[in-house]
Amino acid sequence: MSGLILVSHSQNSHSTLATIYESILARRGGMWVKWSGEFETLSSELHRELNFNKGNEYDTLTFRLTKAEYEEGYHQYIHQGLWPVFHQRPDMARFSTSSQIGYMRLNETYARAISDYAMPDDDIWLQDYHLIPSIKMLRDAGLINRIGFFFHQPFPAGQSFESIPNWRYLADSLLCADLIGFQTTQDMNNFTAWVGSRFRCEHLSPYTLRIHGRQLSVGVFPVGIDTAETSALAESNSCLFMEQQCRETLPENIILSSGHFDDSTGTPYRISAIEVLLRQHEEYHHKFTLVQLASMASGYSHRIKELSRDLETRCGEMNGIHGELNWYPVSYLSNHYSREELCGFYRAARVALVTPLIAGMSLMAKTYVAVQDHTNPGVLILSQFAGAAEQMQGALVVNPYDPDAIADAIHTALIMPLSVRRERHASLMKNLHLHNCYTWAEAFINALQPREQEADLSVKSGVMLSNGFSGRLRY
């Protein structure tokens, strides 16, 4: 069986996504290539040290980045450039020559590491738009391994992708992959429609194209979570303590609002929805609290301070208008909480507002459902533009731009009978078990496997490894 090389730019080793990667590799085996989280003092042109660690369940290959690669390639090019484009806000994108150079050098570091350790029959699975150029760099280095690429972000509609200054290189790189996976059908359709409008494509099947003489497959592979791992989180002491604290200090009806600190969270519309709810239903005074979690560590550095000030102002105005001496409608918490502590908030919340204006995976929504008490579960309110909306039948789906619709959904959730809540939760849990992180990985890796007529060519040509990179084999 072919080996698996999973490649990601995981900055937070304790994130839900990092935990998913660990779970997949622990079960399947393989090698995880990632940044170590440390910085390199040498010039990026020099061949830096690679740290290979052979583990009991899977191997890891880590390396350091230079400050320029991190600041210019990661924070500037990816966060200030690619992120707005992929989230349908190209007007907010900021690109520069220096950030583009940093982004390319960051990818060269990954490509060199992969090339040094990839064996001829390894399948290479690249995660997210951080690593788009690495696909072409690996091909240019002579690797003919099967390469799969997965977008954790939404793919922009129309010609928005072309607002990226070096979009042609990025497009050429994507077309060097064997398989590109998307979170939703809409994202896949956006990509295929755009590719069809820009390149001469031969449609071999609904999910297979031939472009520039190469065959490219596409597919929808919604990211799942490890439900067993989230169950363990829910039973941890930190989770149980936080849940108890919430229940003892807050009103019975806790409405939870959380997510990354960025321009797509839709938080202002949620705050407005609370005002609509209080105006339309006076009986809710003193009966609920919106717990707004907004850790400064969970956003993008160039916008955190501005977004934080705006959120503080909105929450302050809401509490000033509607609050009383012994009750405030919004509790704004900017502290950083561990995953176990966050699960405590999730379990205590009667309602979870996961209403991003646009999002890829929406793993918070799945985690919220997974840690609920099945005998008395809460209700998930989910944006129609969240990546998980296609899957999560049982959630209340809303337009995240419509405060009235969100307020109406909150009211529906708060008065929903226990029997209905249990039925909806059971439906959601069934989906989470059927489409967990292991089925996600299995579906993608199976789709990446070559057809029979391609297999012989891969074996015969597998000795070709390097054209510029060292091409050391891993044993």
Side-chain angles (χ1 to χ4, degrees), residues 31 56 64 81 83 115 118 128 161 179 215 218 226 241 268 275 291 348:
M31 183 171 68
N56 294 328
R64 297 178 177 181
W83 189 93
S115 179
D128 218 2
F161 187 80
L179 172 66
Q215 187 168 305
V218 296
D226 185 342
F241 176 76
E275 185 171 14
V291 176

Side-chain angles (χ1 to χ4, degrees), residues 71-101:
E71 293 296 335
E72 297 173 359
Y74 181 60
H75 274 305
Q76 293 181 26
Y77 190 89
I78 294 172
H79 285 169
Q80 300 182 37
L82 293 185
W83 189 93
V85 171
F86 278 81
H87 288 78
Q88 306 285 18
R89 291 300 305 273
D91 58 302
M92 295 180 61
R94 299 294 180 267
F95 294 98
S96 66
T97 301
S98 61
S99 68
Q100 180 176 320
I101 291 173

